[in-house]
Amino acid sequence: MKTHCFAVVALLLVVLPNNIVNGKSVPLELSLGKISQKANNMKWKNLKNNIKNNIISELDRDKMKAGFQNIVKLLPESEQTYDDVKKTTKQLLDTLPMFAKENIQDKSTDPTVFMSDRLPSNSRYMASVGNGYLSTVVYSDTVYMNGVYNGFLRESHRARIPSTNSIQMSLAGKGVGDSQQSYALDVKKGVFFHRITTSDVVVEQRVYAHQYYTRLLVSDIIISRQSVSTSPITVNLQTNYGPESNDFDFTKNPPHQGIRAMHGPIKTAETSTSGKPVVFVYWTEVPNNLTLPASQQSQRWTFLTSMALDDNEAIKFYKLGIQLLADDDKLYNSHVSAWEYKWNHGRVDLEGNLNLAKAIYGSMYYILSSLPPLSTDESFKFPFYGLSPGGLAQGAQGQDYQGHVFWDMETWMYPTMLMFYPSLAKEMLLYRTVHLDSSKQNAKDFGCNGAKFAWESAYTGHEVDPAPDTRDFEQHITGDVGFALQQYIAATRDTKFLNSQRGFETIKSIADFWQCRAKWSTERNAYTINHVMGPDEYHQNVNNSVYTNVVAKISLNLPYYAAKLINTTVPGDWKNIADKMYIPFDKEHQYHPEYDGYTNGTTVKQADVILLGFPLMYNLSDTVRRNDLVYYQQHTDSHGPAMTWGMFAIGWLELGEEQKANDVFNRSFTNIQEPFKVWTEVSDGTGAINFCTGMGGFLQTILFGYGGFRLHLDYLEFNPVLPPSTSRFNITGLNYLDSSLDFVISEDNVIVTMTSHSAGAAELTLVYNGQQTPLQTGKPIDIPRGKAEIIPSEFL
């Protein structure tokens, strides 16, 4: 192993000749030093992913690219010298221009607009546009489609479609030197803008993935004359189709009347029986330049790309886009209206803290742009294949978790979406229920009954995780799906989902799996679960992960709650196991060890034990909750994933420790890359890009931390606190039991208004300080800021 490690450093030095660290040449002594004796595969996996994601994809020089690829191959599969190699790699990364901290600012004072006069030098920090069906990083050479993956099982990754709509523009001729540039992501409209302005002309480009006509990717270019000049105005266009895709066998059709087309299947199916989806693409041919004639004041050119898994559908949407273009700006306006509809059904607004307001809108936008529209024609709907950590715009082979779906969806991104958009939350759950049979096969292959959800899944629901440690041991995902099901039922009481969309069957299958995994221990006089890995991926193959055992306990109790809603019964065995589940606890120190044999002082990767308090809401005394927070805040890797610190903030807010909450909450902001509010998995800019998992944890801190919301089985609780430097905190469109609720929170009071109430929905009552006030549509209720509950009137 030692030879391998020195080879790594040697390669780094060869690949980066004459590089400077802190103004000096990199010395030979920048070697690996002492060799650690502990093994930890996950640390190596994370380092490998960082190198793959943040170096290889960005380097253009073939020699450098090849050198770093060799590094990946040589990294050993153990923790030996991990800290030293990580330090060495980081020092060398800091010498690369792409990783230098940029002084690039968002100049807009609108919380929904992120604007700069230049683009980030690291193209992976670029904004993306999407609509849940397709998505692309602006100006990149790649488009991804929902559910389209290439590769057999562990090689499965998002299949790259070359971008036929990646267009960059520049002004030609006189006056170019005096031009002003601006680039802006307007999340309220779901549009990326590029503007070039001179005294004579304004050229505007609008890039968007249509939020209603979801098979369309659109780029508009509008040239508008600003002066009395009568000269023609020319704009040069540069496309970025990129290389041919390695993921498809595309056949291109000859251009016909300015329209181009290609179609083809993926190269390798995910399983031996899953088939090869065929993608059909139609697009407008892009010329080298556009010219506004001397006789015209303004003109708009629109370039369309339509793609679908059916030829007739792709043609239909392309023709529909052309028809809408003939009706003034209807194509663009219908897109903006669809985003407006989405925001009107759920958003958070702040007064007094612009940066925080922008972070909230940015996080909401990137998650929503990877989810289906709220409102669209029934014939436009499509099966949804889940949310991956990098959203729909990321997921190339070896990068950004390859677009796979993890626990990240249910545990981190889903909860906030559920409270605003229950129909979209249901789409996430349907991804699991539709693949229930695959999960049952996973359990059977594992030697258990029930359903075992894959740690990483893609098109089929079968396990596609390339790493054996997480693939074999991180079984808590099955409990995470169970807990998400519980949250959905508590928020909606959707009996149709339970009865006819395999919801109840999934709940019972999850309980069956945990019944299989739980084994009676005469020594502990309790049921135990061995050979697992909790959320802390630094420690695999442990016994009785406290987090795993608690989510298993919740899953085993869930069938009884669900059965009451649909007037049926379930066996009693599950409850018996749940009641006698072993939960590790140190009585002397009054805290929860992470697993059996956990040694005091051991560093953990991320939020694990503290998730018992939230989101699991496991019954803890204030003393134990505080002890868990204090201990694990000291022993959690400070460079761990972004979502961790928000969970600590939620815990401190529960205990009324606002300053401690604010301090730890502010740590997550270092993961936001300017100017387009793109999150990275790690605060130094490495790891997965546009890390929706971190955004989800951040949004939970806003809604469940500062908002103080808690979704219980039979009521909704809230106990709000103003976020840092905020004078007003507005929550619009929170949905509970088919009623839409607005909350206006200030320093002293909270105004609650029911804005809509569906026919047949439960009547709701606001309970504050023992006083009961029925909620009525359009009638605000003003109460002092503090703990209150919204309870279905039938339970009072």
Side-chain angles (χ1 to χ4, degrees):
M1 286 298 184
K2 192 171 183 178
T3 303
H4 283 303
C5 296
F6 277 108
V8 172
V9 173
L11 267 171
L12 284 166
L13 295 174
V14 169
V15 169
L16 296 172
N18 302 319
N19 274 280
I20 305 297
V21 176
N22 296 328
K24 299 179 180 179
S25 298
V26 178
L28 186 62
E29 292 78 24
L30 191 60
S31 61
L32 302 178
K34 297 181 179 179
I35 299 178
S36 168
Q37 299 301 312
K38 296 181 180 180
N40 192 319
N41 292 340
M42 286 311 301
K43 286 186 174 183
W44 278 114
K45 179 182 177 184
N46 290 340
L47 180 59
K48 279 185 170 183
N49 284 340
N50 284 346
I51 292 175
K52 287 180 181 178
N53 290 352
N54 296 287
I55 304 176
I56 294 175
S57 65
E58 289 297 323
L59 295 179
D60 294 326
R61 288 170 53 187
D62 292 340
K63 181 179 179 182
M64 295 176 74
K65 190 175 291 189
F68 277 109
Q69 287 170 338
N70 287 333
I71 292 173
V72 174
K73 293 176 184 178
L74 287 172
L75 285 176
E77 294 294 334
S78 74
E79 187 202 23
Q80 291 179 331
T81 68
Y82 167 77
D83 291 331
D84 291 310
V85 171
K86 182 177 179 181
K87 179 180 178 182
T88 301
T89 305
K90 179 64 170 67
Q91 286 178 297
L92 290 168
L93 290 183
D94 288 341
T95 70
L96 297 174
M98 73 192 70
F99 292 102
K101 286 293 183 181
E102 290 188 82
N103 184 22
I104 186 167
Q105 297 179 347
D106 172 5
K107 297 184 176 182
S108 172
T109 57
D110 184 333
T112 67
V113 176
F114 316 145
M115 183 174 67
S116 178
D117 56 8
R118 60 190 176 92
L119 298 175
S121 59
N122 187 340
S123 61
R124 283 173 65 77
Y125 298 161
M126 271 297 293
S128 60
V129 294
N131 56 27
Y133 188 82
L134 55 84
S135 188
T136 185
V137 174
V138 176
Y139 300 144
S140 76
D141 64 5
T142 298
V143 179
Y144 291 122
M145 278 181 64
N146 163 66
V148 180
Y149 295 84
N150 180 52
F152 186 73
L153 289 178
R154 295 163 197 171
E155 296 296 320
S156 178
H157 57 276
R158 290 206 194 278
R160 175 183 170 267
I161 303 168
S163 180
T164 56
N165 208 296
S166 180
I167 306 167
Q168 286 189 270
M169 63 179 193
S170 59
L171 194 59
K174 184 180 177 181
V176 174
D178 298 326
S179 65
Q180 293 182 330
Q181 307 264 355
S182 70
Y183 303 87
L185 177 65
D186 187 326
V187 299
K188 186 177 180 181
K189 296 177 180 178
V191 179
F192 184 87
F193 291 92
H194 175 203
R195 291 186 181 93
I196 305 173
T197 304
T198 74
S199 58
D200 293 329
V201 65
V202 172
V203 186
E204 179 179 83
Q205 180 184 26
R206 308 183 303 208
V207 180
Y208 55 97
H210 206 287
Q211 184 65 198
Y212 190 87
Y213 303 108
T214 51
R215 279 61 166 178
L216 294 179
L217 186 61
V218 186
S219 185
D220 295 323
I221 295 178
I222 304 165
I223 305 177
S224 300
R225 196 181 300 278
Q226 295 294 99
S227 69
V228 295
S229 168
T230 57
S231 301
I233 298 171
T234 298
V235 172
N236 293 329
L237 304 182
Q238 181 177 351
T239 59
N240 185 21
Y241 180 88
E244 295 298 335
S245 176
N246 293 323
D247 297 321
F248 288 91
D249 288 318
F250 275 129
T251 299
K252 290 184 179 179
N253 299 345
H256 178 67
Q257 296 181 348
I259 303 172
R260 305 202 62 181
M262 64 183 176
H263 70 279
I266 59 168
K267 291 189 174 182
T268 306
E270 190 167 286
T271 70
S272 58
T273 60
S274 59
K276 298 180 180 181
V278 179
V279 169
F280 297 84
V281 185
Y282 291 85
W283 73 96
T284 311
E285 197 163 17
V286 181
N288 293 327
N289 53 64
L290 305 172
T291 298
L292 180 69
S295 59
Q296 285 186 234
Q297 282 296 112
S298 179
Q299 186 172 338
R300 182 188 70 236
W301 291 262
T302 297
F303 302 95
L304 297 179
T305 291
S306 175
M307 58 181 65
L309 297 174
D310 175 83
D311 192 21
N312 290 330
E313 186 174 282
I315 294 172
K316 170 187 171 182
F317 274 86
Y318 188 87
K319 290 181 177 179
L320 184 57
I322 295 296
Q323 291 170 8
L324 291 167
L325 287 174
D327 188 359
D328 195 24
D329 222 5
K330 191 172 182 179
L331 183 65
Y332 174 75
N333 290 336
S334 60
H335 165 76
V336 173
S337 294
W339 265 107
E340 182 181 19
Y341 183 83
K342 214 169 198 178
W343 287 120
N344 287 342
H345 281 73
R347 67 179 189 272
V348 175
D349 293 286
L350 302 180
E351 294 180 13
N353 191 333
L354 180 61
N355 288 337
L356 181 55
K358 283 175 173 279
I360 293 170
Y361 265 107
S363 298
M364 291 282 285
Y365 165 79
Y366 284 117
I367 294 176
L368 287 171
S369 63
S370 288
L371 288 169
L374 269 189
S375 176
T376 190
D377 190 291
E378 280 294 323
S379 65
F380 298 171
K381 291 190 175 180
F382 52 88
F384 180 63
Y385 285 88
L387 270 174
S388 63
L392 184 53
Q394 313 288 343
Q397 186 169 21
Q399 295 184 24
D400 305 310
Y401 299 103
Q402 305 193 121
H404 295 168
V405 181
F406 294 70
W407 78 310
D408 303 49
M409 179 170 75
E410 284 83 7
T411 303
W412 299 106
M413 305 174 224
Y414 166 91
T416 302
M417 297 299 106
L418 171 63
M419 298 310 298
F420 287 120
Y421 313 103
S423 64
L424 298 184
K426 185 176 183 177
E427 292 285 350
M428 298 186 215
L429 294 180
L430 288 174
Y431 170 75
R432 299 299 188 182
T433 61
V434 164
H435 291 126
L436 179 59
D437 291 340
S438 297
S439 300
K440 288 182 176 181
Q441 185 61 51
N442 293 340
K444 185 177 180 180
D445 294 343
F446 187 75
C448 271
N449 299 323
K452 177 182 181 290
F453 287 92
W455 177 243
E456 297 185 29
S457 58
Y459 178 59
T460 64
H462 287 288
E463 182 63 77
V464 294
D465 183 1
D469 39 19
T470 48
R471 181 174 70 236
D472 294 341
F473 300 121
E474 208 148 357
Q475 299 162 28
H476 66 80
I477 187 171
T478 299
D480 301 328
V481 174
F483 185 65
L485 288 163
Q486 175 174 296
Q487 290 173 302
Y488 179 73
I489 296 167
T492 66
R493 295 191 191 171
D494 185 348
T495 55
K496 177 184 176 182
F497 171 72
L498 291 173
N499 281 319
S500 61
Q501 294 175 301
R502 305 191 79 178
F504 190 53
E505 182 185 356
T506 303
I507 288 169
K508 292 188 295 181
S509 298
I510 289 171
D512 276 336
F513 174 75
W514 289 120
Q515 181 177 13
C516 171
R517 288 293 285 116
K519 304 300 180 185
W520 181 256
S521 168
T522 54
E523 177 186 355
R524 298 192 181 282
N525 195 34
Y527 283 94
T528 59
I529 302 176
N530 295 333
H531 307 298
V532 296
M533 180 193 294
D536 169 22
E537 293 174 328
Y538 287 172
H539 303 96
Q540 64 274 0
N541 196 10
V542 301
N543 295 337
N544 294 307
S545 151
V546 66
Y547 176 86
T548 302
N549 286 19
V550 170
V551 291
K553 181 182 178 79
I554 291 170
S555 299
L556 288 160
N557 277 321
L558 179 57
Y560 302 95
Y561 174 70
K564 289 180 182 179
L565 295 178
I566 57 175
N567 299 315
T568 189
T569 58
V570 291
D573 294 350
W574 294 326
K575 188 176 188 305
N576 178 57
I577 297 171
D579 290 344
K580 297 179 180 179
M581 181 66 68
Y582 170 62
I583 308 298
F585 183 69
D586 185 326
K587 291 184 178 179
E588 179 183 355
H589 299 99
Q590 289 291 294
Y591 91 112
H592 290 91
E594 190 176 272
Y595 50 83
D596 281 356
Y598 174 80
T599 304
N600 194 309
T602 301
T603 298
V604 304
K605 176 185 176 184
Q606 62 187 45
D608 186 308
V609 172
I610 66 163
L611 300 179
L612 270 61
F614 185 86
L616 300 185
M617 296 191 294
Y618 185 63
N619 188 23
L620 302 173
S621 69
D622 285 353
T623 298
V624 172
R625 180 72 161 131
R626 182 183 302 276
N627 290 346
D628 284 348
L629 289 166
V630 169
Y631 176 80
Y632 287 104
Q633 189 168 324
Q634 294 174 348
H635 298 291
T636 298
D637 190 339
S638 61
H639 300 290
M643 64 280 190
T644 289
W645 310 115
M647 294 301 106
F648 280 102
I650 290 174
W652 288 122
L653 287 165
E654 276 184 4
L655 298 174
E657 298 272 8
E658 290 183 37
Q659 189 55 55
K660 288 183 178 180
N662 293 346
D663 290 345
V664 74
F665 172 63
N666 288 333
R667 295 177 66 174
S668 64
F669 280 88
T670 59
N671 294 67
I672 298 177
Q673 308 300 325
E674 297 294 353
F676 302 123
K677 316 304 176 197
V678 171
W679 283 63
T680 53
E681 185 173 10
V682 186
S683 60
D684 63 7
T686 61
I689 296 294
N690 220 0
F691 192 49
C692 292
T693 307
M695 299 178 201
F698 165 76
L699 291 172
Q700 288 189 59
T701 311
I702 297 299
L703 189 61
F704 302 104
Y706 291 101
F709 288 93
R710 293 293 183 275
L711 180 61
H712 297 271
L713 291 179
D714 294 318
Y715 66 97
L716 179 68
E717 176 188 337
F718 62 97
N719 186 15
V721 173
L722 287 177
S725 304
T726 300
S727 57
R728 188 178 291 269
F729 181 17
N730 296 347
I731 297 169
T732 300
L734 190 139
N735 197 294
Y736 179 59
L737 297 179
D738 275 341
S739 289
S740 185
L741 307 168
D742 290 353
F743 297 80
V744 178
I745 302 159
S746 59
E747 182 65 36
D748 299 320
N749 67 327
V750 179
I751 300 173
V752 183
T753 306
M754 178 187 285
T755 57
S756 68
H757 180 76
S758 300
E763 299 296 327
L764 301 176
T765 297
L766 177 65
V767 179
Y768 175 80
N769 201 23
Q771 182 176 349
Q772 300 180 10
T773 307
L775 286 166
Q776 300 179 48
T777 304
K779 294 188 176 181
I781 301 173
D782 193 333
I783 61 174
R785 186 170 63 82
K787 183 179 290 188
E789 298 166 349
I790 295 174
I791 304 175
S793 302
E794 63 191 273
F795 295 146
L796 294 173

